[in-house]
Amino acid sequence: MSEKTIRLIITRQKDQDGKSYKEEFELPYRENMNVISALMEIRRNPYNAQGEETTAVSWEASCLEEVCGACSMVINGKPRQSCTALVDQLEQPIRLEPMRTFPVVRDLVVDRSRMFDSLKRVKAWVPIDGTYDLGPGPRMPEAKRQWAYELSKCMTCGVCLEACPNVNDKSEFIGPAALSQVRLFNAHPTGAMHKAERLNTLMDGDGGLSNCGNSQNCVQACPKGIPLTTSIAALNRDTTLQSFKNFFGSDNNF
Amino acid sequence: MAQNREYFLRKMHSLLGVIPVGLFIIVHFGVNYFSTRGEAEYNQAVNFMENLPFRYTMEIFIIFLPILFHAIYGIYIAFQARHNTNNFSYFRNWMFRFQRISGIIVLIFMAWHVWETRIAAAMGQEVNFDMMANIVENPVALIAYIIGIVSTTFHFANGLWSFGITWGITVSPRSQQISTYVTLGVFLALTYVGVASILAFV
Ligand code: HEM
Ligand code: SF4
Ligand code: FES
């Protein structure tokens, strides 16, 4: 048996209102481990580094290939997906914390509801329901489709919100992810039929587009390489034009 | 307007930072630079500014009210951030942080500066070369002035960079990169003008 072990320090919390505390774990090393497999090992054998029996650490995961976003957590200070965080590439002890920008449900599990609410707020979809069949929509040029595909890779993981200094308990800021989705759906030939409506939702109420302070952490943090800051700047251009149309009136305002 | 009040206020905050406050700063620095040409020329320039037509109207609407709005709303914005340069020590995140710190420094500096010069003038003191020379005779005041000047030029130049994004002028990463270099140039140039001007009083 190999003597090598890996060490983890996990920030835990019993429930939503619980106080957070740190617990240390020491596990036998195996090759090609990721953070998820380390957490599975703790679940199999829930003893902490002091050898005391403890409760298994709670965490979430689904796809295990960085497309669902469920397993996001703060690993050694940086928010990222734990399924693609390879133990061999991490400095030890590995520090795991929940993404505290969101309400912590338990241990490493957070509630990302606010992101899904944001998608609803900005109507991040292509409305096609009607009383009759609308037929196929207009075609999209292939080059544009490839560009839009990059924006569509967002998995609502929340890493960009966690990285943003303006998304916090003192601010209502909607965060980069939903903003970029507005750009995606406004670029879609059918989605564009609701362009003005989506732009107006970004200007209405508190915490909209204008809350961005351009720290540009989001674009550095996004695991999907989505050009979030370009989307935000492009939306600034679109909303500026839209607000002029709203204010001065326009015969071309939709 | 009723619904998009915050959007409107933010856009006003951004606009006023450049027009008129940023333009005022450039004029102000330009006039100050006469100090490097000696006492007589400086006093002449100050005299010219003092006797501009519509002086009080311009002071109130081009300088005082816009700065007041930008400063008050700026403090509100600044304290909304939770800085995270520890974990995200990227250049732009530091600039984000410095933008907020420099805004607060500018506010404190400006209150003191206006008290010592503009308020003093309103109380009957004559504004001239000697007035400034007396102030910066004290090395602590001189250092405070240099800190205040550099904070202002940084805040304005970096603000110009984000202004380009706020209004959708610089959208692509490359345009934002070029804008970083241009605003760096603005920062260096204004800082030179400002620091050279104040040192001329020593
Ligand atoms: C008096 C105290 C001041 C405070 C507290 C303050 C605060 C701020 C803050 C917090 C921001 C960031 C806004 C954001 O990124 O969303 C900002 C932006 C800005 N400030 Fe100030 N500021 C002050 C004075 C000034 C002055 C004197 C100038 C002009 C030289 C100025 C010009 C700007 C500009 C151009 C921006 C960029 C606006 C944008 O991002 O679109 N500020 N200010
Ligand atoms: S934009 Fe990137 S970081 Fe933000 S939620 Fe989507 S995938 Fe995650
Ligand atoms: S489990 Fe889906 S992204 Fe990690």
Side-chain angles (χ1 to χ4, degrees), chain A residues 4-8 25-29 33 38-39 41-42:
Chain A
K4 220 171 144 186
T5 59
I6 62 170
R7 283 174 53 231
L8 295 106
F25 294 89
E26 194 160 359
L27 320 171
Y29 174 86
M33 280 180 102
L39 289 166
E41 181 61 35
I42 294 175

Side-chain angles (χ1 to χ4, degrees), chain A residues 208-220:
Chain A
L209 173 65
S210 61
N211 276 43
C212 171
N214 301 302
S215 82
Q216 304 208 330
N217 284 351
C218 55
V219 75
Q220 305 264 8

Side-chain angles (χ1 to χ4, degrees), chain A residues 166 210-214, chain B residues 10-11 13-19 21-23 25 67 70-79 96 99-100 102-108 110 152-153 155-167:
Chain A
N166 268 357
S210 61
N211 276 43
C212 171
N214 301 302
Chain B
R10 287 266 180 171
K11 277 282 193 281
H13 179 259
S14 169
L15 182 67
L16 293 179
V18 177
I19 306 166
V21 180
L23 294 180
I25 293 289
I67 290 187
H70 182 92
I72 292 173
Y73 202 62
I75 295 172
Y76 169 72
I77 294 174
F79 283 100
F96 173 90
Q99 183 71 4
R100 279 143 186 78
S102 62
I104 305 295
I105 295 177
V106 170
L107 181 67
I108 297 167
M110 216 156 49
T152 308
T153 55
H155 187 86
F156 173 59
N158 193 50
L160 215 50
W161 177 83
S162 61
F163 176 88
I165 298 176
T166 302
W167 293 88

Side-chain angles (χ1 to χ4, degrees), chain A residues 77-79 163 165-166 168-170 203-207 210-211 213-217 220 230 236-237 239-240, chain B residues 3-4 6-7 10-11 79-82 84 87-88 90 92-93 96 162 165-166 168-171 173 176:
Chain A
K78 287 263 191 330
N166 268 357
N168 59 52
D169 50 326
K170 294 186 285 186
M203 297 189 275
D204 286 347
D206 286 353
S210 61
N211 276 43
N214 301 302
S215 82
Q216 304 208 330
N217 284 351
Q220 305 264 8
T230 311
N236 276 329
R237 180 178 288 182
T239 50
T240 300
Chain B
Q3 270 196 70
N4 53 24
E6 189 187 61
Y7 181 85
R10 287 266 180 171
K11 277 282 193 281
F79 283 100
Q80 257 186 346
R82 285 208 186 277
N84 55 11
N87 284 331
F88 303 92
Y90 308 121
R92 274 293 149 210
N93 198 25
F96 173 90
S162 61
I165 298 176
T166 302
I169 301 162
T170 47
V171 170
Q176 293 177 8

Side-chain angles (χ1 to χ4, degrees), chain A residues 22-34:
Chain A
K22 287 187 165 65
E23 192 158 35
E24 201 172 331
F25 294 89
E26 194 160 359
L27 320 171
Y29 174 86
R30 279 180 286 125
E31 256 171 41
N32 301 325
M33 280 180 102
N34 61 7

